[in-house]
Amino acid sequence: MLLKKNIPLKYVFGKIKYEVLLVAVYTLIIVILHDRFNLKHMAIPLSVPMIMGTVISLLLAFRSNQAYDRWWEARTIWGAIVNDSRSFTRQVLSFVDDSAYESEEINHFRERMVRRQIAWCYSLSLSLRGLDGKEGLEKHISKREVAYVSRFANIPMALLDLHARDLNYALKQGWLNEFQQVTLDQTLSRLCDAMGKCERIKNTVFPATYSLYIHFAMNFFILLLPFALIEYFGLIEVPLVVAIAASFLLIEKMAIHLQDPFDNKPTDTPMTTISRNIERDLKQLLNDHHLPETTQNVDHKFYVM
């Protein structure tokens, strides 16, 4: 994801360098033919490409808005994932019965749930980008859990299933009451809904015919443009046509990149960065919860343990 405020021009124009080169050569050939052979009949009224340009501009604007809506929806979903991950961790750390605070099993349970949630965020981001969702899981969960989720095609779904199994185990052990278990399960359901929404965006392709028609119309407009400007600008029309064509091409490229927010490109949703921020916040909550008991009980009014 491009997070810099100043995007390199090399990156921007590198996406259309071949198209711009072809437009420049094409326009230059028309100028040479017109000047050398005095082919005045080559010129066409300027109103023709102007009308086409206006229509194409409206179509490109509509397509860009639709593409941005897809990108923004993806970012909104991941914002909800951030909130629900924090809520899930807070609930796990605060709901689990503290009557046996010294119990290593309870402490291990809490840590296992928090680290698995971190693993889920990374796994979801990799899966949405078409990469291996198991990559890097061993950093956060046990080898036994890695072996379990490896049997599934959908790794994030398997991790949520492990969450649900552990919550059911905690309920049976008496670490959670039924109300707390239901509350945590509702948070898991929201995470599952967010995953489904991301998969819907990923698997719903932008209509190919719509993109194809706009592309053909825009190319036809660029082909006609030199004939409309030849009588007014002469050789100067080469950079002018290139500039106009580059503007339309860049808008089209922008829409193409934004319409696939999980396509593992520099313009996609910054899921890796978001996952790192989630990891940082969740580990801080976990580490703070593991402070020595004497530190936590400095003031009972503010540390309910």
Side-chain angles (χ1 to χ4, degrees):
M1 176 65 190
L2 288 174
L3 297 176
K4 294 182 179 179
K5 295 182 179 179
N6 299 321
I7 301 177
L9 292 178
K10 181 180 179 181
Y11 170 81
V12 175
F13 290 100
K15 299 296 181 181
I16 60 170
K17 57 184 178 182
Y18 297 112
E19 291 92 335
V20 167
L21 181 61
L22 287 174
V23 171
V25 173
Y26 169 75
T27 307
L28 184 60
I29 291 174
I30 293 176
V31 171
I32 293 174
L33 290 175
H34 181 272
D35 292 344
R36 177 162 297 185
F37 299 102
N38 196 24
L39 301 177
K40 295 186 179 298
H41 63 277
M42 293 177 61
I44 62 174
L46 184 60
S47 58
V48 175
M50 285 180 61
I51 295 173
M52 287 193 61
T54 302
V55 174
I56 294 171
S57 297
L58 294 175
L59 292 175
L60 282 176
F62 177 77
R63 184 186 177 185
S64 298
N65 288 335
Q66 295 300 310
Y68 181 77
D69 286 344
R70 284 168 60 93
W71 185 90
W72 182 246
E73 183 184 4
R75 183 60 186 87
T76 302
I77 293 171
W78 270 86
I81 289 175
V82 173
N83 296 337
D84 288 334
S85 296
R86 292 168 178 167
S87 296
F88 182 76
T89 299
R90 174 180 52 79
Q91 290 166 347
V92 167
L93 295 179
S94 61
F95 284 175
V96 176
D97 188 11
D98 286 325
S99 60
Y101 180 76
E102 298 297 333
S103 172
E104 286 296 328
E105 187 178 6
I106 292 181
N107 288 335
H108 179 67
F109 170 82
R110 291 166 173 160
E111 184 173 355
R112 183 171 68 248
M113 296 291 284
V114 173
R115 292 189 178 276
R116 189 188 297 135
Q117 181 57 32
I118 295 172
W120 180 83
C121 295
Y122 281 114
S123 179
L124 179 61
S125 66
L126 291 171
S127 298
L128 291 173
R129 286 172 171 158
L131 304 176
D132 186 5
K134 302 186 297 294
E135 183 180 349
L137 287 185
E138 64 278 357
K139 299 178 183 178
H140 308 289
I141 61 178
S142 65
K143 293 182 179 179
R144 182 180 179 182
E145 291 183 339
V146 172
Y148 173 78
V149 300
S150 298
R151 297 182 295 172
F152 291 80
N154 192 324
I155 305 300
M157 182 196 68
L159 290 170
L160 290 181
D161 179 63
L162 286 176
H163 270 338
R165 289 169 181 261
D166 271 355
L167 290 180
N168 187 49
Y169 176 77
L171 178 64
K172 292 179 179 179
Q173 294 296 114
W175 301 341
L176 296 172
N177 60 42
E178 292 183 358
F179 174 78
Q180 292 169 335
Q181 192 267 346
V182 169
T183 301
L184 280 163
D185 190 73
Q186 289 174 344
T187 306
L188 286 184
S189 296
R190 291 196 299 270
L191 290 169
C192 189
D193 288 343
M195 179 175 66
K197 292 175 182 178
C198 290
E199 291 172 343
R200 169 178 54 79
I201 296 174
K202 173 71 175 180
N203 298 326
T204 305
V205 298
F206 204 85
T209 53
Y210 184 77
S211 302
L212 187 63
Y213 295 158
I214 293 180
H215 185 70
F216 281 163
M218 187 180 65
N219 286 338
F220 186 58
F221 163 75
I222 295 174
L223 290 175
L224 289 180
L225 192 58
F227 296 101
L229 301 178
I230 190 67
E231 291 290 337
Y232 301 96
F233 299 100
L235 188 61
I236 301 179
E237 81 161 343
V238 176
L240 182 61
V241 171
V242 168
I244 296 174
S247 300
F248 280 87
L249 290 169
L250 283 174
I251 295 174
E252 184 190 33
K253 290 291 184 182
M254 176 196 68
I256 292 174
H257 290 164
L258 288 180
Q259 74 187 23
D260 296 316
F262 304 126
D263 208 25
N264 199 23
K265 295 178 180 177
T267 51
D268 73 358
T269 305
M271 295 179 289
T272 301
T273 300
I274 295 174
S275 298
R276 287 173 182 165
N277 291 337
I278 293 174
E279 179 182 9
R280 178 201 63 199
D281 293 343
L282 269 55
K283 283 186 175 180
Q284 286 179 350
L285 284 172
L286 182 63
N287 292 335
D288 181 73
H289 197 80
H290 284 169
L291 287 173
E293 187 175 5
T294 55
T295 304
Q296 292 181 359
N297 292 326
V298 170
D299 192 336
H300 185 71
K301 292 184 295 183
F302 297 101
Y303 295 86
V304 183
M305 298 300 298

